[in-house]
Amino acid sequence: MPDRGGGPTGPRIRVGRPSRRVRTLLMTLGVLAVLAMAFTMFAGFWTDWLWYRSVNYSSVFTTTLSTKIGLFFVFGLLMALAVGLNIWLAHRLRPPLSAMSMEQQSLDRYRMGIAPYKKWLLLAITALVGLIAGASASGQWRTWLMWVNGVSFGQKDPQFHLDVSFYAFDLPWYRFLLGFGFAATILSLIAAALTHYLYGGLRVTSPGARATAAATGHLSVLLGVFVALKAVAYWLDRYGLAVKSSDFKATDNWTGLRYVDANAYLPAKTILFCIAVICALLFFATLWRRTWQLPVIGFGLMVLSAILIGGLYPAIVQKFQVQPNEQAKEAPYVEKNLKATREAYGIEGAQVTDYSGTSKTEDKTTLRDDVAGAASIRVLDPNIVSPTFQQLQQIRKYYAFPTNLDVDRYHVNGQDQDTVIGLRELNLAGVDKQNWINNHFRYTHGYGVVAAKGTTADTDGRPAFTESNLPSEGVLGKYEQRIYYGEKTTTYSIVGGPQKEIDYSDDQGEKTTSYTGRSGVNLSNPVNRAAYAVAFGEPQIMYSGAIGEGSRILYNRTPKERVEAVAPWLTIDGDAYPAVVGDRVQWIVDAYTTTNGYPYASRTTLGDTTADSLTATNNNRAVVAQQNQVNYIRNSVKATVDAYTGEVKLFQWDTKDPVLKTWMKAFPGTVEKKSEISGDLMAHLRYPQDLFKVQRELLTRYHVKDATTFLSGSEVWQVPNDPTNQSNDAVPPYYLSMKMPDQKAQAFSLTTTFTPNGRDNLSAFMSVDSEAGTSDYGKIRVLKLPTSTTVDGPKQVQSQFNSEQDIAESIRLLKGGDSEVEYGNLLTVPLDGGLLYVEPVYVRGGGLKYPLLRKVLVSYGGVTAFEDSLDEALNKVFGTEGAAPKPPADDGGTTPPPATGDATVQEALQDAQKAFTAGQEALKKPDWEAYAKAQADLEAALKRAEDAQAAADRKGGSSPSPSSSPSASAKPGSGASAKPGAGASPEPSASGSPSG
């Protein structure tokens, strides 16, 4: 039926056409604009492809891109077809020409206006909704890949007895399909209704029937589809109860069914499903009945049922059944939540043991010797000494260290040694002359590793470097020192071409180099150069003579950035750390697999849970989360990034994780087997901080295993605020080598403390074994203190430090002038039933721009000490300060005189102490000749002491052991490095603590 015509068109107005030259110019400009836009889009795509190919992860790019494109076209086409088909059908079902009402006359001009463009308008509308739907669907590529590649968890939920994979992989995809179906139906309904109204199928103000039979049937079918989808939604909501979050007094992020869910909402959803199915059938029946009476009644019944059955009935059950006897009603469901949460976060094996919190030994002097075995107490705080590294080891202004250094352990002289380590990275802000060539061609990389003992400092409070100078030298041996990839390397560099790079400078001047690695993208191809010129907005890349044969562009250079790019399905730990592995510097990055669909496991917000006083001041330490809300997490991947080549390797760490197995199916060949991890690399892997912070937050509530205690809230803990600053942010966990009460030897561990909710006394101490490759790796140990007595927590200990008059006066003196006092990490160490607190104190001032270790605070059993060294503070706390050998008792001459060897030992030890002191004085000047003589005298004196001791032992006599001498460990060769010029200092005391 042709559209209704219109009235007279009116007089035509002739408009002059533009000249041929103008038309040609406009057409040329239009073509150029289109080509420019097309090349800009191509440049982004092409540079991404080149980068992924350069790191040998092109399969990640192609799989991700093909999945996005597939979802875009499939769902975009489905949406376009659904909307377009219904518009076409509504137009085809329009009524014939009838008497014109006022309402129709007002619509007539709109019909006339669109009549010549109906096909184009239909195409435009369908294309628009198709593009929007396709773009939205392409963002679901992770959901699709997890659904199509999902593997079984081998665990079933306690309510519906379905595998956990249904909730983690299947249910999210079904919900997406349902949401898409709702969107397509609603848009089709709106488009069909407007078309029917425009062409007279629906009337609003005209007398008579409001809708034609055809319009009634068409719209009823669409409404029936909508209600049918609602029925599917009710059915899926039944399973959704297992992963639903709700407010519950036991926890803020409760997940899973409660009593009211299982006994009210679950049957209500089933009843509503049945009602919705019946209502949908009534809507479909209008194709034959041609009346809306029954479907409208059915729809009203469904709405009323949703209010009464889905809302009012559960409220009544909660009010009159649950609240009067909440603990008994909720206990079975709380137990399910406890079990699932502990499994989902890997804390089901946490070993919680009672700990008295007070020492069992009355004579504290006997504990002094036990401290060294309890922990290698780290007095060098990696979060404070970065400026000290910067001042002493920066060497050149265009180098810099990260704000927060890292703690690792190295095997030196047969022993594991806690080490504070940082890389001398490129700092373009320190380049004197800023220009494009300098910033991107000449200054391209950092140089060398700087490391220091974590347990000691030199006599002036500086770090005792074991790897230092430029080029770096020390105990780490030979390795590739150039740092092209690092945490501070955020700009691109072009290397390997005709322009030489600044390597480093020494007394003979600047040394130059040219990059020989295969990293980066080759710029010899003019297409590549053009693409990068557009992508980076740097036109110089197109024509610069500094770019030639062999030139390569390096970008995406931070370790976390590279790992996130090659594995976009991983959540990245906030702290990447460097290690010398073999002859290379490797960045080690911990990565996690997560899901938000583990039934009954309570949720956590990664951004909030992993925040502490360090992330508050350094955004680079924040976790890189693919999804912020999760209720399952595993440290499933250990990644490495080569600091020279930028090569990224992903290693399977958790071989049982079903989420990782799913992603490995989706991206085959991207993750290497755990067996491929070398022994050198394994020695530097550790338990990740962000996972530990998530687990400690969960353990504040989930350390209890019975529902009654959980519901009462009497055992709720909290992570204390960092007492060393005023930020009111959580205290960060600390790495150190220590021994828990059930351990036979020290292990590299990650530790934290807990306090009762709302109070400051200590409630628990937690550690996790971080020694990768050992049977106890990942074992969580929690020492739970009694609730009947109070043990000082970190804040109280810090307050005690600050309030003691002698200590306060000493700190006031340290702050004299323009000096500033900075408190280091407050470490907690279990010892003989009690807890030993140690905190280094740094002073920055007096013309110095960097902090120096000046004092050490120690507290144990209520006794505090504030001394120049850890040894002195421990001696004071344990009552061994100034202890001297006891004289022989007056027993009437029955005691035999001391063996002659005893006097020899004492004299030799006194000579050793004098030699050690002379050596330290020589170091201060420095006078290397005097230092060498003092070291020779020291070695000779210790040798005499050892010989005398051996002789005394053979005679059955007794004398002090030479190993107990405060200077015994200063024997040449006993430290990490005896070479003064290497930046390392001899160990000044037996415990490795500073002597001043």
Side-chain angles (χ1 to χ4, degrees), residues 8 50 52 155 190 289 344 353 387 411 633 802 863 990:
L50 291 174
Y52 275 97
Q155 295 174 291
I190 293 173
R289 294 182 56 86
T353 56
H411 200 69
I633 185 170
N802 296 336
V863 180

Side-chain angles (χ1 to χ4, degrees), residues 64 67-68 71 137-145 568 663 667:
T64 305
T67 304
K68 289 179 179 180
L71 292 173
S138 66
Q140 297 294 322
W141 65 272
R142 291 184 179 89
T143 308
W144 161 261
L145 287 176
W663 287 118
F667 297 96

Side-chain angles (χ1 to χ4, degrees), residues 82-396:
V83 175
L85 180 62
N86 280 280
I87 293 175
W88 174 83
L89 187 60
H91 180 266
R92 185 177 178 84
L93 296 175
R94 66 191 183 280
L97 184 64
S98 59
M100 296 291 289
S101 65
M102 294 299 294
E103 183 179 12
Q104 291 301 311
Q105 289 179 15
S106 63
L107 293 173
D108 197 46
R109 55 179 170 178
Y110 295 106
R111 288 191 290 268
M112 291 169 53
I114 66 174
Y117 312 105
K118 284 189 297 185
K119 291 183 179 179
W120 292 107
L121 185 60
L122 178 62
L123 288 174
I125 292 173
T126 55
L128 178 62
V129 296
L131 287 172
I132 295 173
S136 176
S138 66
Q140 297 294 322
W141 65 272
R142 291 184 179 89
T143 308
W144 161 261
L145 287 176
M146 293 184 78
W147 178 68
V148 77
N149 295 288
V151 301
S152 172
F153 271 70
Q155 295 174 291
K156 295 184 177 181
D157 77 283
Q159 181 66 38
F160 302 101
H161 307 292
L162 296 174
D163 192 270
V164 173
S165 61
F166 170 79
Y167 301 93
F169 306 141
D170 299 343
L171 190 58
W173 179 249
Y174 298 154
R175 282 177 164 169
F176 164 71
L177 292 178
L178 185 63
F180 178 83
F182 273 122
T185 303
I186 292 172
L187 288 175
S188 297
L189 184 62
I190 293 173
L194 289 174
T195 305
H196 280 299
Y197 177 69
L198 182 64
Y199 287 98
L202 290 178
R203 300 180 180 90
V204 177
T205 60
S206 299
R210 299 295 184 187
T212 63
T216 300
H218 184 196
L219 297 180
S220 294
V221 170
L222 289 176
L223 287 170
V225 172
F226 176 84
V227 177
L229 290 173
K230 188 62 180 173
V232 176
Y234 281 135
W235 189 256
L236 288 181
D237 284 347
R238 297 170 67 255
Y239 303 109
L241 292 173
V243 290
K244 183 195 73 170
S245 289
S246 59
D247 295 330
F248 191 34
K249 70 177 185 178
T251 177
D252 296 333
N253 294 298
W254 173 273
T255 301
L257 284 82
R258 292 158 50 195
Y259 180 89
V260 69
D261 296 313
N263 296 278
Y265 281 112
L266 187 56
K269 297 291 184 183
T270 305
I271 295 171
L272 289 171
F273 164 76
C274 296
I275 293 174
V277 170
I278 295 171
C279 185
L281 294 175
L282 291 175
F283 273 108
F284 293 141
T286 57
L287 287 173
W288 296 276
R289 294 182 56 86
R290 302 295 182 178
T291 176
W292 288 31
Q293 185 176 6
L294 283 179
V296 168
I297 293 173
F299 188 77
L301 176 63
M302 188 180 74
V303 173
L304 182 62
S305 300
I307 296 173
L308 296 179
I309 302 175
L312 184 59
Y313 174 61
I316 293 173
V317 171
Q318 179 69 24
K319 180 71 175 178
F320 296 101
Q321 289 190 30
V322 177
Q323 289 185 3
N325 192 17
E326 187 174 40
Q327 286 204 353
K329 296 289 187 183
E330 299 288 14
Y333 303 95
V334 170
E335 289 176 358
K336 295 175 184 178
N337 176 271
L338 286 171
K339 184 175 183 295
T341 302
R342 292 171 66 86
E343 289 174 349
Y345 291 95
I347 57 176
E348 74 277 11
Q351 175 184 302
V352 181
T353 56
D354 292 332
Y355 193 71
S356 64
T358 56
S359 176
K360 307 168 188 175
T361 305
E362 294 183 3
D363 184 8
K364 298 295 188 291
T365 59
T366 60
L367 297 179
R368 175 63 180 87
D369 294 334
D370 296 337
V371 175
S376 298
I377 298 174
R378 180 171 44 75
V379 294
L380 200 65
D381 187 346
N383 306 309
I384 286 184
V385 298
S386 179
T388 308
F389 273 51
Q390 185 83 0
Q391 185 69 24
L392 300 179
Q393 289 297 320
Q394 179 188 22
I395 312 297
R396 295 290 181 266

Side-chain angles (χ1 to χ4, degrees), residues 49 92 163 299 381 403 443 504 510 572 612 652 695 719 744 768 799 843 858 872:
W49 160 250
R92 185 177 178 84
D163 192 270
F299 188 77
D381 187 346
T403 303
Y443 296 92
Y504 65 91
E510 289 183 346
I572 311 301
D612 58 27
Q652 181 184 17
Q695 290 174 327
V719 178
K744 296 181 180 179
V768 62
S799 178
V843 177
V858 173
E872 293 174 7

Side-chain angles (χ1 to χ4, degrees), residues 652-923:
Q652 181 184 17
W653 184 247
D654 190 330
T655 57
K656 298 179 180 179
D657 178 29
V659 182
L660 177 61
K661 291 178 180 178
T662 296
W663 287 118
M664 290 175 69
K665 280 182 63 180
F667 297 96
T670 57
V671 181
E672 299 184 29
K673 294 180 179 179
K674 186 176 183 178
S675 58
E676 297 297 319
I677 299 176
S678 67
D680 286 343
L681 176 58
M682 184 71 75
H684 295 283
L685 300 182
R686 67 188 191 188
Y687 202 81
Q689 291 190 53
D690 283 339
L691 176 60
F692 183 78
K693 286 188 278 189
V694 169
Q695 290 174 327
R696 74 172 180 179
E697 183 64 32
L698 268 295
L699 281 170
T700 58
R701 291 180 180 273
Y702 287 90
H703 62 277
V704 299
K705 297 182 180 180
D706 63 288
T708 302
T709 306
F710 186 84
L711 284 169
S712 69
S714 60
E715 292 288 334
V716 176
W717 301 338
Q718 67 182 13
V719 178
N721 293 337
D722 191 343
T724 64
N725 57 54
Q726 304 299 319
S727 65
N728 290 326
D729 295 303
V731 62
Y734 296 124
Y735 286 106
L736 76 157
S737 294
M738 59 165 294
K739 181 176 70 174
M740 292 290 276
D742 65 325
Q743 291 179 293
K744 296 181 180 179
Q746 292 183 18
F748 193 63
S749 305
L750 193 54
T751 66
T752 192
T753 53
F754 295 107
T755 59
N757 193 27
R759 290 184 290 161
D760 294 326
N761 56 290
L762 198 67
S763 58
F765 174 82
M766 171 184 173
S767 78
V768 62
D769 195 316
S770 300
E771 290 279 1
T774 63
S775 59
D776 272 357
Y777 172 82
K779 183 174 183 178
I780 298 174
R781 295 176 172 88
V782 179
L783 303 180
K784 181 183 175 184
L785 279 75
T787 56
S788 57
T789 59
T790 58
V791 177
D792 288 343
K795 185 176 180 180
Q796 292 173 321
V797 171
Q798 188 69 50
S799 178
Q800 186 179 6
F801 284 155
N802 296 336
S803 61
E804 286 202 11
Q805 185 174 355
D806 292 344
I807 296 177
E809 178 63 21
S810 298
I811 292 176
R812 188 186 67 80
L813 293 174
L814 289 174
K815 290 182 178 179
D818 60 350
S819 297
E820 298 178 7
V821 171
E822 298 181 37
Y823 294 102
N825 37 218
L826 180 58
L827 302 177
T828 309
V829 178
L831 179 66
D832 190 52
L835 290 157
L836 175 69
Y837 288 95
V838 178
E839 181 179 70
V841 178
Y842 294 83
V843 177
R844 185 200 302 249
L848 295 176
K849 299 179 180 179
Y850 56 94
L852 296 176
L853 178 64
R854 290 304 190 195
K855 294 284 186 177
V856 178
L857 285 161
V858 173
S859 175
Y860 185 80
V863 180
T864 60
F866 185 60
E867 302 298 328
D868 293 340
S869 70
L870 177 60
D871 272 349
E872 293 174 7
L874 290 172
N875 289 340
K876 184 173 182 180
V877 164
F878 292 106
T880 59
E881 184 179 19
K886 293 182 180 180
D890 184 6
D891 56 1
T894 59
T895 303
T900 56
D902 288 355
T904 306
V905 171
Q906 295 294 345
E907 291 171 0
L909 290 178
Q910 291 174 3
D911 291 342
Q913 183 63 55
K914 292 177 182 178
F916 174 77
T917 303
Q920 295 301 303
E921 292 297 327
L923 276 176

Side-chain angles (χ1 to χ4, degrees), residues 440-453:
H440 299 289
F441 290 83
R442 285 174 55 78
Y443 296 92
T444 60
H445 59 278
Y447 207 98
V449 174
V450 176
K453 298 177 186 177

